[in-house]
Amino acid sequence: ADMFANEEGGPEPDWVVTEREQFSDFRDLNKDGKMDKDEIQHWILPQDYDHALAEARHLVHESDVDKDQKLTKEEVLENWNMFVGSQATNYGEDLTRNHDEL
């Protein structure tokens, strides 16, 4: 109700329909109509999801201009803002330290 107040008889926007489907299909695992502590934990910290690997793949996908699955110094520098804002670099903190590999 905070994000969308349905007018009487009015249609729901597509995003509301999508969110309802996501909730019922993937979030409400025990199908009781609400999320309990275990369901919230599974949603926020899924056991089968590697956050570091996902972030690394995202950085390579977005920055690899020639799509060779390798990042050159030039590609990193051209997309520096992506790396500075990345959790993989602790939001840019690791970029200010001296690294032989960089």
Side-chain angles (χ1 to χ4, degrees), residues 10-68:
E12 290 183 332
D14 290 342
W15 70 268
V16 173
V17 173
T18 300
E19 289 301 317
R20 284 187 196 284
E21 290 171 357
Q22 286 289 318
F23 176 80
S24 63
D25 293 345
F26 302 107
R27 305 287 179 242
D28 186 18
L29 300 174
N30 63 7
K31 307 299 180 200
D32 68 351
K34 56 189 174 193
M35 290 180 70
D36 61 26
K37 181 181 175 184
D38 291 336
E39 290 167 331
I40 292 170
Q41 184 175 3
H42 182 267
W43 173 39
I44 305 238
L45 297 169
Q47 298 297 313
D48 57 347
Y49 184 75
D50 186 338
H51 292 278
L53 181 60
E55 181 66 12
R57 285 182 177 160
H58 168 71
L59 290 172
V60 171
H61 176 76
E62 294 297 324
S63 302
D64 185 18
V65 176
D66 60 8
K67 302 302 179 200
D68 66 352

Side-chain angles (χ1 to χ4, degrees), residues 83-84 86-102:
F83 290 86
V84 170
S86 169
Q87 291 179 4
T89 62
N90 291 321
Y91 297 101
E93 182 179 326
D94 288 344
L95 298 178
T96 61
R97 298 184 183 139
N98 289 332
H99 291 278
D100 292 337
E101 68 273 14
L102 294 178

